[in-house]
Amino acid sequence: MIRLLRELQGRLREAGLPEGEALDLLALAAGLPRKALLLRLAAPPAEGVAEKAFALLKKRLSGYPLQYLLGEVEFFGLPLKVAEGVLVPRPETEGLVELALALPLPPRPRILDVGTGTGAIALALKRHLPEAEVFATEIDPKALALAQENARRLELPVSFLLAPLTGGLSGLDLVVSNPPYLPEGYKEVAPPELRFENPLALYAGEEGLAVARPLAREAAKALKPGGFLLLELAPENVHTLARELQGQGWEAEVLRDLAGRDRYLRARRPPQEAVGQEGALRGPEVP
């Protein structure tokens, strides 16, 4: 199978795609885990494996995401099922989880992941903060069902809500989200992989802040005084929202991802006296 693997690698390289994906495609075609495939590379491919591998390659070269072909992606050490039309968790979002885990949260924090998609953020936080009460909202029923399936498989109890933004929750210590943040104009230059993901999870108006802005307004009511808002945004718009929140009395700062790009917004809700009486901000709490 070494010759077949090299041919797949060459085709991927010519297309500007990582040649390391060839091993994933070949393993999928052979019906074997990657490790098992590595032990059998010296053997000839079984009947039909080459045909399946080239069919998978053709689909991948069309721009179809590798994660959808595999049906699974690893996020913060968790194996998550993924499906076409639901946002694929990105490595940058793992940085958002790391920032959340570094916050000075209370011993039993109430956490909300807004726009949960596959459930990646909520499930990673529940795994590493088992004492936390974790909620997750989503407006896409397909994505919500996938997140619930991932939670069952991983045996991580998260309360999922089919609702927009904060879903009317209150008394929260942390609101975290990877909301849609790409400007609509980005569609003209977007890589082909994005065609297969839900545009509602990607694009957010002319500036890319059509979701993040109302989310911040709701977070001001949903968070306890001194609670945290943590967002992943685009380098082009994260400073804009940070300045707006600072003008509203929030403590807000922009943090960089591993590639050195301005990516994350970490903000702290103003103390009670800066935003009015707490009773006017709180809605019904979820037991």
Side-chain angles (χ1 to χ4, degrees):
M1 283 192 280
I2 294 178
R3 182 177 178 181
L4 176 57
L5 177 63
R6 288 175 177 169
E7 189 167 354
L8 295 172
Q9 289 172 333
R11 295 281 300 277
L12 288 166
R13 187 168 54 248
E14 291 172 2
L17 294 171
E19 62 180 65
E21 293 184 4
L23 195 60
D24 292 305
L25 296 176
L26 186 53
L28 186 60
L32 295 171
R34 282 174 56 111
K35 291 182 179 179
L37 178 68
L38 288 171
L39 296 174
R40 303 187 188 186
L41 281 178
E47 184 178 353
V49 168
E51 290 79 2
K52 291 180 182 177
F54 284 117
L56 291 169
L57 175 66
K58 181 179 180 180
K59 196 166 187 178
R60 180 69 185 101
L61 294 179
S62 74
Y64 197 77
L66 176 67
Q67 295 90 339
Y68 289 160
L69 288 172
L70 300 177
E72 188 174 281
V73 65
E74 183 174 307
F75 179 85
F76 220 78
L78 299 177
L80 300 177
K81 284 192 173 183
V82 294
E84 184 176 331
V86 179
L87 188 72
V88 175
R90 267 63 167 185
E92 293 86 355
T93 307
E94 292 185 326
L96 194 67
V97 174
E98 291 177 350
L99 290 172
L101 294 174
L103 292 173
L105 297 174
R108 295 178 58 85
R110 286 167 53 89
I111 298 172
L112 171 62
D113 171 25
V114 174
T116 195
T118 60
I121 295 173
L123 295 172
L125 290 176
K126 184 62 180 179
R127 168 61 61 85
H128 290 272
L129 297 172
E131 71 283 1
E133 189 176 11
V134 180
F135 304 91
T137 59
E138 177 57 63
I139 61 172
D140 178 10
K142 179 179 179 180
L144 191 67
L146 184 60
Q148 291 170 323
E149 181 182 354
N150 280 324
R152 287 192 296 268
R153 289 174 58 243
L154 297 170
E155 298 182 341
L156 292 170
V158 169
S159 299
F160 292 99
L161 304 171
L162 184 63
L165 301 180
T166 61
L169 299 180
S170 64
L172 300 170
D173 298 290
L174 169 63
V175 173
V176 58
S177 181
N178 172 26
Y181 58 68
L182 295 176
E184 290 290 338
Y186 185 72
K187 290 180 180 179
E188 300 177 4
V189 295
E193 285 84 354
L194 296 192
R195 299 197 311 265
F196 301 95
E197 298 184 80
N198 189 342
L200 293 177
L202 295 169
Y203 302 100
E206 184 178 354
E207 293 177 279
L209 293 173
V211 175
R213 278 196 179 109
L215 172 55
R217 288 195 294 269
E218 287 198 17
K221 300 177 182 179
L223 287 167
K224 297 175 183 177
F228 290 92
L229 173 65
L230 193 56
L231 302 177
E232 177 184 339
L233 295 170
E236 295 79 13
N237 55 33
V238 63
H239 285 280
T240 299
L241 187 58
R243 287 191 296 268
E244 291 175 5
L245 292 181
Q246 289 166 351
Q248 297 165 21
W250 291 71
E251 299 173 16
E253 60 182 324
V254 173
L255 303 170
R256 293 180 175 179
D257 61 21
L258 290 177
R261 295 167 296 191
D262 294 338
R263 175 70 62 184
Y264 311 111
L265 171 60
R266 182 172 63 194
R268 196 165 195 176
R269 180 183 181 240
Q272 183 174 330
E273 59 270 18
V275 296
Q277 294 298 315
E278 183 182 1
L281 293 174
R282 294 171 66 89
E285 295 207 15
V286 173

